Amino acid sequence: MSETLLKVDNLKKHFPITGGILQRQVGEVKAVDGISFSVKKGETLGIVGESGCGKSTTGRLLMRLIDPTEGKVVFDDKELTDLSASDMRKVRRDMQMVFQDPFASLNPRHTVERILEEPLIVHGMGNAKERKKKVRELLEVVGLSSYHAKRYPHQFSGGQRQRIGIARALMTRPKLIIADEPVSALDVSIQSQVLNLMEDLQKEFDLTYIFIAHDLGVVRHISDRVAVMYLGRMVELADSEALYQKPMHPYTQALLSAVPIPDPDFEMERKYLTGDIPSPSNPPTGCAFHTRCSECMDICKTDRPEFREIEEGHYVACHLFNDKG
Ligand code: SF4
């Protein structure tokens, strides 16, 4: 598990804000503001943060569903930001997305067979008979039955619909799946079934995952490493075990305080998040978390902390660690 499949370098997405009669640009929302990370083959990277932190925009940037303002994305040795639209379409065969709301992402007027066939048609893979065979195979793989192929999305439960969304993502045999809050819309009891399925499929299909969630509890078991985002930037990135056992950034600590901890030996001072996440169109100066941080110092209000490796493989952006580099 050492080969790098995806490398992201200083990725930014700034959306213009326009106003006035002439609709001139009056500001910008820095939805993603300079993030860098890499993902190894076979790894699961969890990306976590509150809504508005830029995690879903990151997922869409990686797929190039939107173009970045700045930065590079190298996937499978190809620099995606340089590719033409038609070359990018070819690459998407190897990188697929699973969305939060399976109902909204499945065309209600199409049968499951038609929905699952579509990625194969788009990428010119197989003839009609081969495609139908593959649809039936994939339905079984995700725990549904081949007779479900003729049904419509509304005839399924939420959990089943997400299984269809996962089957659709698998149709082209991708290398990378970006799952954007894939279980957030599901009941807790169904969430673990879908997470277990995704773990099994990872082994069976040799998949690499980027798993986006707003809750550190959800990504805990599935992730090898976890990145925490706040207002468009990464504030902490570490191996799962290190992040859950020894979170360093006050924001991660506050997010973890909201997660029930099954380990009775694990002790962490509970920190609670107060206030709302500030507007990304007008982020606080210095450390963007300073308006909500219980450890805030004077320097935090003026100087933005660097994202630095504090321990091996454990990156943190916080002035509390300035003297430990
Ligand atoms: Fe808190 Fe300062 Fe660290 Fe930001 S840099 S998280 S305000 S201690």
Side-chain angles (χ1 to χ4, degrees):
M1 210 168 73
S2 59
E3 244 180 290
T4 298
L5 180 65
L6 179 80
K7 194 164 186 330
V8 175
D9 189 22
N10 195 29
L11 191 64
K12 293 185 184 177
K13 181 66 188 178
H14 298 174
F15 293 104
I17 304 169
T18 52
I21 301 167
L22 298 174
Q23 286 296 297
R24 286 215 179 93
Q25 183 172 341
V26 292
E28 57 183 0
V29 174
K30 294 178 178 174
V32 175
D33 196 23
I35 59 170
S36 303
F37 61 94
S38 56
V39 185
K40 294 179 218 128
K41 276 191 181 147
E43 184 184 32
T44 299
L45 174 72
I47 301 183
V48 177
E50 291 165 286
S51 65
C53 74
K55 57 192 190 302
S56 293
T57 306
T58 301
R60 292 166 67 212
L61 285 169
L62 299 181
M63 293 287 295
R64 247 191 78 193
L65 298 175
I66 49 175
D67 283 325
T69 307
E70 206 180 307
K72 279 186 180 176
V73 177
V74 178
F75 170 72
D76 210 14
D77 297 327
K78 290 177 213 71
E79 157 73 68
L80 301 191
T81 31
D82 287 346
L83 293 185
S84 65
S86 70
D87 285 340
M88 190 59 222
R89 256 195 304 279
K90 286 181 204 141
V91 172
R92 287 207 193 98
R93 178 179 158 163
D94 289 330
M95 53 196 317
Q96 293 282 338
M97 248 183 134
V98 173
F99 296 94
Q100 173 178 1
D101 183 351
F103 198 55
S105 67
L106 303 175
N107 189 326
R109 289 186 299 278
H110 288 170
T111 61
V112 167
E113 182 170 68
R114 176 77 183 80
I115 290 167
L116 295 188
E117 250 191 332
E118 194 169 318
L120 300 181
I121 295 170
V122 167
H123 293 288
M125 297 167 78
N127 58 34
K129 196 174 159 199
E130 288 162 345
R131 290 198 299 265
K132 291 195 176 6
K133 183 166 173 268
K134 194 144 192 215
V135 166
R136 280 161 174 75
E137 275 170 19
L138 255 302
L139 281 172
E140 306 271 348
V141 162
V142 298
L144 295 169
S145 296
S146 51
Y147 65 81
H148 286 128
K150 294 293 177 200
R151 296 195 180 165
Y152 290 86
H154 74 267
Q155 295 175 287
F156 293 90
S157 67
Q160 287 175 319
R161 282 200 288 261
Q162 196 51 294
R163 286 172 192 265
I164 296 166
I166 292 167
R168 180 178 56 183
L170 286 174
M171 289 302 287
T172 58
R173 290 298 301 267
K175 295 175 181 167
L176 173 71
I177 289 190
I178 299 171
D180 188 2
E181 305 245 17
V183 297
S184 306
L186 305 176
D187 290 347
V188 176
S189 58
I190 309 293
Q191 285 187 353
S192 53
Q193 290 174 15
V194 172
L195 289 171
N196 289 342
L197 170 69
M198 289 184 73
E199 273 187 305
D200 293 345
L201 295 173
Q202 182 166 36
K203 291 184 206 116
E204 197 175 334
F205 290 88
D206 215 6
L207 292 165
T208 303
Y209 285 148
I210 292 182
F211 199 104
I212 297 168
H214 62 265
D215 176 350
L216 273 169
V218 168
V219 297
R220 182 178 188 130
H221 293 293
I222 201 164
S223 302
D224 298 297
R225 287 185 305 145
V226 175
V228 178
M229 286 186 72
Y230 190 76
L231 282 179
R233 293 176 160 257
M234 274 189 187
V235 296
E236 186 157 7
L237 169 67
D239 281 352
S240 254
E241 205 181 318
L243 190 111
Y244 286 92
Q245 293 298 328
K246 197 182 163 192
M248 292 189 183
H249 196 282
Y251 179 58
T252 312
Q253 292 171 357
L255 284 182
L256 263 179
S257 290
V259 176
I261 297 158
D263 180 355
D265 295 332
F266 179 73
E267 276 182 32
M268 189 184 74
E269 188 198 337
R270 297 240 162 215
K271 286 189 176 161
Y272 294 98
L273 270 179
T274 50
D276 293 328
I277 190 164
S279 164
S281 63
N282 186 21
T285 53
C287 170
F289 187 58
H290 87 252
T291 53
R292 302 168 83 190
C293 182
S294 56
E295 319 249 359
C296 181
M297 305 169 284
D298 283 344
I299 187 176
C300 306
K301 296 175 188 164
T302 51
D303 294 16
R304 180 186 285 163
E306 254 181 76
F307 191 58
R308 291 189 306 132
E309 192 170 18
I310 305 297
E311 287 177 2
E312 203 190 334
H314 198 146
Y315 296 80
V316 186
C318 174
H319 289 304
L320 290 172
F321 302 95
N322 272 359
D323 54 342
K324 297 183 187 171

